[in-house]
Amino acid sequence: MKTNRFLLVAIVAAGITCLICFTGCASTDMVETPATPVLAGDWILASAVAHGAEAGIPSGESITLSLDENGGDLYALYGFSGVNNYTGSASVTGNDFIVGPMAVTMVAGDPEHTQFEQLYFSVLNTVHSYTITDTALVLSSADGNSSLVFVPLVLDGTSWTLTGYNTGDAVVSVALDLEVPGLEFTTDGTVSGFAGVNRVTGSVVTDKTLRTVSFSQLATTRMAGSPDAMALEQIYLDLLGKTQVYQMSGSTLRLMTADGMTLLVFTKTDIQ
């Protein structure tokens, strides 16, 4: 009888141990580690502070910063500064962010935009550290008196008007006597717009870090138009279907193939 009692106690104890182990393991598996924000990608300037004073960004201006991993601690750095395009590199170690020499185009602008562009570069060149979250990238000077605050630049919630398309030989502008196609990206993975004659809707999948974009299930209304308008629409839809990556800089969007060939060029428009 004692042997049976001891055996029963042993079985119950083993069962409790297994239950505890199972519960503990299950709880551990259910804990998700928060994803680390990714520095690489596209950013748009939201605010700037120079020498302790807030600097107002010119109305309607889209100043951008793009970062690509370039091996080790190096990042390729480029963007649009309000008047000109710029390119360079940055060394990132821990929270240190050091900007290297930059090349800048030489386009002239009006006094307001030129002045802010100069201020932007003066702050960018003093950047010494960064902090990043899912919603913002902050670049700060060593003394903390100057900073640039960027937010993610994404396709979601943006609207664009076509300015150029690839004919197979060159990227050309839309003829003046034709209605111009446009594209609008929603925040729920769909896309819509005007294709030249008909309305177009479909699905879109994007990756803001890899800058990939894929259109699918594109459907149009069934209206007829002039031969030239119908030809443009067909080219436009075909190029959308071939798009694999995108590039945003300032108020310009380029849709391209994976090897970098430009298919469609758009300028940003306000969503009504």
Side-chain angles (χ1 to χ4, degrees), residues 66-70 74-78 88-90:
S66 295
L67 294 163
D68 293 340
E69 293 183 359
N70 206 17
L74 293 178
Y75 282 76
L77 173 153
Y78 55 94
S89 63

Side-chain angles (χ1 to χ4, degrees), residues 216-241:
S216 62
Q217 299 177 321
L218 294 177
T220 66
T221 53
R222 307 288 290 179
M223 295 179 63
S226 69
D228 287 344
M230 294 297 289
L232 172 62
E233 178 170 276
Q234 189 59 57
I235 293 172
Y236 177 70
L237 294 173
D238 287 346
L239 294 177
L240 282 179

Side-chain angles (χ1 to χ4, degrees), residues 161-173:
T161 299
L162 186 70
T163 58
Y165 63 98
N166 195 319
T167 63
D169 298 318
V171 175
V172 300
S173 301

Side-chain angles (χ1 to χ4, degrees), residues 38-123:
V38 178
L39 185 59
D42 301 311
W43 304 87
I44 186 167
L45 187 66
S47 64
V49 174
H51 310 296
E54 186 170 353
I57 302 172
S59 177
E61 190 61 275
S62 298
I63 295 174
T64 60
L65 170 72
S66 295
L67 294 163
D68 293 340
E69 293 183 359
N70 206 17
D73 299 328
L74 293 178
Y75 282 76
L77 173 153
Y78 55 94
F80 179 70
S81 51
V83 178
N84 289 277
N85 294 302
Y86 64 95
T87 182
S89 63
S91 175
V92 180
T93 306
N95 287 110
D96 290 344
F97 190 107
I98 308 300
V99 177
M102 288 184 290
V104 183
T105 56
M106 300 294 288
V107 177
D110 64 77
E112 180 186 15
H113 291 82
T114 299
Q115 182 178 2
F116 189 86
E117 180 177 76
Q118 292 170 349
L119 180 143
Y120 174 72
F121 283 130
S122 71
V123 175

Side-chain angles (χ1 to χ4, degrees), residues 35-39 132-134:
T36 302
V38 178
L39 185 59
I132 186 172
T133 66
D134 288 335

